[in-house]
Amino acid sequence: YDIYRTKLRGYLKDGYPQNPSSKAMTIRCLNKMYRWAHQHGYMSHLKKIKGGGAWENRMRTFNQYEMQKILNDIKPQKFQEFVRFAYYTGARRGEIASLTDDNIKYQYVVGKSGKRPLKLNLQAKEVLLGTDSLWTYSPGYITQTFKKNLRRLEIKNGRFHDLRRTFGLNLIKQGMPIYEVSKLLGHASVKTTEKHYAPLLVTEIKDFVL
C-alpha cells in the first residue's frame, strides 16, 4: 500500500508516466481515490482528471524463438519455474504469487477478478511436481527479475504480462475456440477476449485476392 501511495504522490508532483496506457491507468486510480475521498467527506467537491479512458491496448507477444529462451534460460531456477507456470496456465502474476496448497488441490486462483478456476495442463503439473515450494514473490521482484533476464537474453520491449498474452494468442492460433480461451484467461466476457486478441490475429489472416 505504501509503495503505491508513494508512486501516486510522485505522479502528482512530477507528472504522469509517458506510456499512454500507464498514464490512463494512473489517472483512473487517482480518480478512484478522489471519489472515495469525496464519498467519505474528505473533499467538499469531487475532482476528476481527464484522460482515464485514453487506453492503448498493448499488443506485444513473444515469438517462438523468444519463448524458447524464456522457458529455458531464465535465472534463478526457482524463478524459472514461476515463469514456466505463468506461461502454461496464462494466470496473472499476482494470482500465481499468492497460490496456496488449497488453490492447487481445488484448482482455482484468487486475483483482481476474484476467485476463478485454474486449468492445470500436463506442463503446469510437471512444474508443480518439480518445485519444492510455491512462490511468494512480490510484484516488484517479479517485474524487475523478469526485465533483468530479458535484458540478458537480448529480448526487447518485454513485460511479464506479455506471457499471458502470448499464452492466449498461441492457443487461438492452434485452433482453440475463443470462448474456451476466454475461460482459461478468466475474462468476464468473451467480448473482452475478442477486444484484446482480434488485433493480434490480423497478421495471421492468409493472403487473399479481391
Side-chain angles (χ1 to χ4, degrees):
Y1 172 76
D2 289 336
I3 294 176
Y4 295 126
R5 183 171 59 183
T6 300
K7 283 187 176 181
L8 288 174
R9 285 177 175 173
Y11 293 143
L12 288 172
K13 178 182 177 182
D14 303 322
Y16 301 117
Q18 294 298 314
N19 180 275
S21 295
S22 298
K23 179 180 178 181
M25 181 170 60
T26 300
I27 290 174
R28 287 201 299 275
C29 289
L30 289 169
N31 284 336
K32 185 175 182 180
M33 178 182 67
Y34 289 141
R35 286 197 299 273
W36 182 90
H38 182 257
Q39 290 171 357
H40 290 78
Y42 294 103
M43 296 177 66
S44 57
H45 299 286
L46 178 61
K47 181 177 180 179
K48 184 176 181 180
I49 306 171
K50 294 182 179 180
W55 182 273
E56 289 185 4
N57 287 329
R58 182 172 169 83
M59 297 179 64
R60 173 71 159 108
T61 56
F62 296 116
N63 60 39
Q64 186 175 0
Y65 173 71
E66 291 172 329
M67 283 307 307
Q68 175 115 19
K69 293 200 287 187
I70 289 172
L71 294 177
N72 293 285
D73 299 327
I74 292 287
K75 299 178 181 179
Q77 179 61 34
K78 186 69 178 177
F79 190 70
Q80 171 78 81
E81 296 169 355
F82 182 84
V83 170
R84 281 176 169 268
F85 190 82
Y87 177 62
Y88 294 145
T89 61
R92 301 176 179 91
R93 68 177 186 182
E95 293 173 337
I96 305 171
S98 60
L99 279 175
T100 66
D101 290 333
D102 274 350
N103 292 147
I104 300 302
K105 181 178 180 181
Y106 298 107
Q107 296 193 26
Y108 72 90
V109 289
V110 179
K112 71 174 188 177
S113 57
K115 181 177 177 180
R116 70 175 184 87
L118 175 68
K119 173 67 176 179
L120 296 176
N121 67 357
L122 291 176
Q123 293 162 306
K125 290 177 180 178
E126 286 179 2
V127 173
L128 292 175
L129 288 173
T131 189
D132 55 359
S133 62
L134 295 176
W135 309 275
T136 56
Y137 297 135
S138 69
Y141 177 85
I142 297 169
T143 298
Q144 295 305 317
T145 305
F146 192 70
K147 284 185 177 180
K148 182 179 178 180
N149 272 281
L150 292 192
R151 286 195 296 268
R152 179 176 57 82
L153 297 173
E154 298 183 342
I155 298 175
K156 298 181 179 180
N157 187 32
R159 301 178 187 174
F160 190 85
H161 194 79
D162 297 338
L163 289 171
R164 176 173 159 87
R165 192 177 300 106
T166 304
F167 164 87
L169 177 63
N170 285 345
L171 289 178
I172 293 173
K173 288 167 64 175
Q174 288 176 18
M176 180 178 287
I178 196 168
Y179 175 79
E180 293 182 11
V181 175
S182 181
K183 291 299 181 183
L184 290 174
L185 291 169
H187 287 161
S189 168
V190 71
K191 291 183 179 179
T192 301
T193 314
E194 291 173 342
K195 176 183 176 182
H196 286 289
Y197 286 92
L200 297 174
L201 292 169
V202 172
T203 56
E204 301 299 320
I205 298 174
K206 295 180 179 180
D207 195 16
F208 55 88
V209 177
L210 296 175

